[in-house]
Amino acid sequence: MRIFKFGGASVKDAAGIKNVYDVLQKVGYEDVLFVVSAMGKTTNALEVVVKDYFEKSASLQSSIQEVKKYHNQILLDLFEDEKSPVFKAVNDLFSELDYFLNHNKSPNYNFVYDQIVSFGELVSTTILSHYMTYRGIKTNWIDVRNYIKTDATYRDAEVDWDATQKCIAKNIKRKVLNITQGFLGADENGFTTTLGREGSDYTAAIFAYCLNAESVTIWKDVPGVMNADPRYFENASLLNQISYREAIELAFYGASVIHPKTLQPLQKKEIPLYVKSFIEPLLPGTSVSKGADLEPHLPCFIVKKNQLLMSLSSIDFSFIMEENISEIFALLHQFKIKVSLIQNSAISFSVCIEDKFGNFNDLKTMLSKKFKVAYNENVSLYTIRHFNDKAAQMVEENKVVLLKQVSRETMQIVTKESID
Ligand code: ADP
Ligand code: ASP
Ligand code: MG
């Protein structure tokens, strides 16, 4: 079985969905399971709905309306007959969302978030599935919440591998085109959970692992994994082949083309991952598999914007010791703040962090009880794998370097943007 994943960019409008049909025609679709994300920026739009709901904002209705209108326009562009059952199917999903918003009593932000944002994937797969049927490709729509079982850590759920393996192995039909939602799962009470933003790649890997799939292909708006994000670096080049290990490193440091959790399950079973262009589906793209680290061997650049550089120092000039460090990390973990770089000296300790869940102020309050806390907001973290002098120079040009760290394969540079 092959697993395909189509992300938000590939299905952002009617033309994108038609293109998915063309891709399937070109590459074949028998014995395929295809995982789909929410369309375009729908997850962001649903995050606004969650925010408005909690803030009891007057704009709640208009933010919901925006999501509905966007999908409705896509439906009108795709289906000539407004009596097509897809209109009712999508409408029913939005009614379910309205019902939830009108009846929910839970004050738990993360729980409510998952119950709401999940409609993005439920709607996108419903539309895709009807569209494929309309064009003559029979699909088997499956509700991923019956397959991917997780704990109840809403917005960042952990997969329960045993339960998931059992559900998938027993119930997935082969020899048909299965279509399901990325990013979602369900806890043991049947409530919807999500696997973390951009988690649909991971969904594809979970299915691949549990089905012992032949391969996973993630279809992107770029030719494959490049040695830099072409949005930020001119002259980025395609990497034809990278090892699992190199891909894990690149994803870990923030190469957002692959979700970092995706690689481990694939590597365990040596299932190859292909990253290909949905615009040119017959080109080879990048293959991530066992073998050569990096082909061609080029410096790889990764940039993470909107980071925080926090430096802690002891109030009384005492050393920052193991026990302090473990306490600091316990707090970072508690507040779900991700650390991308660490540097320490005798009396100070610096970390470059990403505050995905907006918890930095609470963390700061806790840390200030024991340490002097200084920080720079809005810094960028550049990571260069397989660096050389020219690569470092290029990154540092026109920037204020706040911190730099070098190991054998990796250089990391924290900068404030442009000083010109
Ligand atoms: P999806 O539609 O699957 O969610 P994403 O937008 O998450 O796709 O990922 C594709 C984007 O990843 C590209 O448009 C590109 O800007 C970005 N990207 C970041 N790093 C790289 C890289 N090293 N190679 C290719 N693309 C990259
Ligand atoms: N729709 C989700 C997100 O935007 C998951 C994904 O696209 O991978 O984060
Ligand atoms: Mg994405």
Side-chain angles (χ1 to χ4, degrees):
M1 197 171 211
R2 287 176 300 164
I3 313 292
F4 290 171
K5 180 253 169 170
F6 286 93
S10 65
V11 292
K12 69 177 194 308
D13 51 23
I17 295 165
K18 290 177 182 168
N19 181 61
V20 170
Y21 170 85
D22 293 339
V23 172
L24 293 176
Q25 288 291 359
K26 285 183 186 149
V27 302
Y29 50 83
E30 194 183 304
D31 209 7
V32 162
L33 182 142
F34 93 98
V35 171
V36 184
S37 306
M39 293 173 165
K41 304 274 177 229
T42 298
T43 307
N44 293 358
L46 287 166
E47 283 186 340
V48 175
V49 171
V50 180
K51 193 164 165 284
D52 286 350
Y53 172 77
F54 271 95
E55 291 173 358
K56 300 195 168 38
S57 158
S59 46
L60 175 63
Q61 280 316 317
S62 74
S63 47
I64 300 170
Q65 226 22 61
E66 200 174 304
V67 176
K68 290 183 180 172
K69 247 174 56 195
Y70 167 67
H71 288 92
N72 205 46
Q73 188 56 54
I74 292 179
L75 286 178
L76 292 171
D77 292 344
L78 284 176
F79 300 92
E80 275 154 24
D81 181 3
E82 280 190 49
K83 291 205 183 65
S84 160
V86 66
F87 286 88
K88 179 171 183 319
V90 170
N91 199 39
D92 286 352
L93 284 169
F94 283 127
S95 302
E96 214 183 296
L97 171 62
D98 289 334
Y99 184 89
F100 175 81
L101 291 167
N102 291 327
H103 291 82
N104 168 62
K105 298 267 184 307
S106 171
N108 178 341
Y109 194 94
N110 292 346
F111 167 81
V112 171
Y113 177 104
D114 282 0
Q115 309 321 301
I116 294 177
V117 298
S118 48
F119 280 92
E121 271 71 12
L122 292 169
V123 171
S124 71
T125 50
T126 299
I127 296 177
L128 259 290
S129 172
H130 277 86
Y131 184 71
M132 295 304 146
T133 308
Y134 175 67
R135 297 289 303 271
I137 300 183
K138 201 170 150 7
T139 56
N140 183 39
W141 186 90
I142 52 187
D143 186 332
V144 76
R145 295 169 298 183
N146 298 328
Y147 296 88
I148 295 187
K149 302 294 175 184
T150 70
D151 68 3
T153 314
Y154 301 106
R155 289 180 79 183
D156 197 17
E158 279 292 325
V159 172
D160 174 342
W161 283 95
D162 285 343
T164 300
Q165 171 76 67
K166 279 191 195 118
C167 292
I168 292 181
K170 205 165 78 200
N171 299 315
I172 292 289
K173 281 195 214 143
R174 296 190 180 246
K175 302 283 169 217
V176 295
L177 176 61
N178 293 288
I179 172 167
T180 199
Q181 307 77 40
F183 181 49
L184 315 184
D187 66 14
E188 61 178 2
N189 294 316
F191 287 112
T192 306
T193 56
T194 62
L195 306 174
R197 285 299 311 262
E198 302 295 329
S200 298
D201 293 351
Y202 184 40
T203 305
I206 297 167
F207 275 102
Y209 181 91
C210 295
L211 290 164
N212 292 316
E214 172 191 323
S215 63
V216 174
T217 307
I218 53 182
W219 298 96
K220 297 278 173 178
D221 59 356
V222 282
V225 180
M226 311 183 77
N227 76 325
D229 184 340
R231 263 181 310 175
Y232 302 119
F233 292 79
E234 283 169 29
N235 310 321
S237 311
L238 178 67
L239 303 171
N240 304 313
Q241 146 77 37
I242 47 180
S243 65
Y244 292 113
R245 188 169 165 198
E246 187 61 33
I248 287 174
E249 296 282 356
L250 294 174
F252 169 81
Y253 287 117
S256 59
V257 64
I258 308 176
H259 187 277
K261 284 188 179 168
T262 311
L263 279 315
Q264 199 213 17
L266 300 182
Q267 183 256 345
K268 269 195 186 158
K269 290 202 173 171
E270 292 187 13
I271 298 168
L273 168 68
Y274 303 111
V275 182
K276 293 193 190 212
S277 158
F278 58 70
I279 301 151
E280 304 242 44
L282 296 175
L283 292 182
T286 302
S287 138
V288 181
S289 56
K290 215 174 139 190
D293 250 7
L294 195 63
E295 201 284 304
H297 201 281
L298 296 170
C300 296
F301 300 85
I302 302 140
V303 56
K304 288 179 95 171
K305 307 239 169 189
N306 286 321
Q307 307 291 296
L308 275 149
L309 180 63
M310 175 175 75
S311 295
L312 305 176
S313 43
S314 48
I315 291 171
D316 56 1
F317 266 88
S318 62
F319 292 135
I320 295 203
M321 304 292 281
E322 287 83 351
E323 62 184 284
N324 304 116
I325 296 178
S326 71
E327 201 179 325
I328 296 165
F329 271 95
L331 285 170
L332 286 162
H333 179 67
Q334 182 188 328
F335 289 112
K336 293 188 146 298
I337 292 181
K338 193 170 173 281
V339 178
S340 348
L341 181 151
I342 305 161
Q343 198 166 70
N344 67 315
S345 73
I347 56 162
S348 93
F349 181 81
S350 301
V351 276
C352 188
I353 53 184
E354 185 167 351
D355 181 25
K356 270 198 193 156
F357 299 99
N359 294 332
F360 181 65
N361 277 335
D362 293 338
L363 171 77
K364 207 172 62 193
T365 309
M366 296 292 280
L367 288 170
S368 302
K369 292 181 188 162
K370 276 209 150 166
F371 305 98
K372 235 183 341 191
V373 183
Y375 62 96
N376 283 287
E377 287 174 298
N378 242 323
V379 301
S380 300
L381 171 65
Y382 288 85
T383 302
I384 317 172
R385 294 272 300 158
H386 317 289
F387 60 92
N388 56 30
D389 289 347
K390 195 169 147 221
Q393 241 168 38
M394 203 182 99
V395 166
E396 288 174 26
E397 213 167 47
N398 297 330
K399 299 187 191 80
V400 180
V401 175
L402 300 173
L403 195 154
K404 190 162 161 178
Q405 198 171 71
V406 182
S407 66
R408 204 157 54 93
E409 292 289 8
T410 311
M411 175 180 280
Q412 291 195 284
I413 306 172
V414 180
T415 70
K416 263 176 142 36
E417 285 306 309
S418 161
I419 47 170
D420 49 27

